[in-house]
C-alpha cells in the first residue's frame, strides 16, 4: 500500500519556523518529483514548492520564495519543507504529493499520490 505521511505541523507565532516532513512508503519515490501544496479554509488547494527526483531542481510559489526551502533524502524516502519567517497567511493544511512527471511540475493534477495533510497555524 502506497502511503505519504506528513508530520511537523503545529501552532506557532508569526516569525517562527517549522519543518514539515513527508515519509513515503509502499514503493520507492526516488524517481518521482515531490511537492508540497496547501489549502486554507474556504480556498482552493495551491502549489507551494516542488523538487525534482534528484533534488537538483526546485521551484517555489512567489508567496513563499526566500522563506521556504524544500529538500529530500531519497535514502529515507522522505521530503522536507523548512518554513521560516512564517506569516498568518501561511495558515493552511499542508499536503505532500508525488508525481512521475519529469522535472518540477506545479499543477496538482500531475500528482499521483497524496498524503492526508498536516495543519499549520500561524498566529499574529
Amino acid at each position: 500500500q502506497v502511503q505519504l505521511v506528513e508530520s511537523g505541523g503545529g501552532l506557532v507565532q508569526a516569525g517562527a519556523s517549522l519543518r514539515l516532513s513527508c515519509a513515503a512508503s509502499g514503493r520507492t519515490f526516488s524517481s518521482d518529483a515531490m511537492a508540497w501544496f496547501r489549502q486554507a479554509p474556504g480556498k482552493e488547494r495551491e502549489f507551494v514548492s516542488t523538487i525534482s527526483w534528484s533534488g537538483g531542481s526546485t521551484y517555489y510559489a512567489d508567496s513563499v520564495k526566500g522563506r521556504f526551502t524544500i529538500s529530500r533524502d531519497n535514502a529515507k524516502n522522505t521530503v522536507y519543507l523548512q518554513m521560516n519567517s512564517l506569516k498568518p497567511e501561511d495558515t493552511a493544511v499542508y499536503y505532500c504529493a508525488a508525481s512521475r512527471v519529469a522535472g518540477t511540475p506545479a499543477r496538482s493534477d500531475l500528482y499521483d499520490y497524496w498524503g492526508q495533510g498536516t495543519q499549520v497555524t500561524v498566529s499574529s
Side-chain angles (χ1 to χ4, degrees):
Q1 181 181 0
V2 175
Q3 277 192 314
L4 299 177
V5 179
E6 301 96 335
S7 61
L11 170 63
V12 296
Q13 290 189 329
S17 298
L18 279 175
R19 188 194 196 203
L20 304 183
S21 298
C22 172
S25 62
R27 69 170 181 88
T28 181
F29 286 85
S30 58
S31 298
D32 293 39
M34 301 293 292
W36 290 94
F37 290 79
R38 67 186 182 186
Q39 187 167 19
K43 296 187 177 181
E44 293 188 352
R45 187 173 298 186
E46 66 173 358
F47 167 77
V48 175
S49 180
T50 183
I51 187 167
S52 62
W53 70 271
S54 67
S57 296
T58 58
Y59 181 58
Y60 297 91
D62 287 343
S63 58
V64 306
K65 200 173 296 182
R67 299 187 298 122
F68 290 11
T69 302
I70 191 170
S71 61
R72 67 190 297 164
D73 184 339
N74 286 340
K76 295 182 178 180
N77 235 13
T78 301
V79 64
Y80 306 97
L81 186 68
Q82 178 66 44
M83 305 186 295
N84 298 330
S85 302
L86 283 161
K87 305 175 180 180
E89 50 264 44
D90 294 318
T91 295
V93 177
Y94 283 71
Y95 297 91
C96 171
S99 172
R100 299 182 183 183
V101 172
T104 50
R107 285 169 35 195
S108 61
D109 64 325
L110 295 178
Y111 284 81
D112 308 294
Y113 299 100
W114 292 82
Q116 83 291 345
T118 185
Q119 176 70 47
V120 172
T121 303
V122 184
S123 63
S124 58

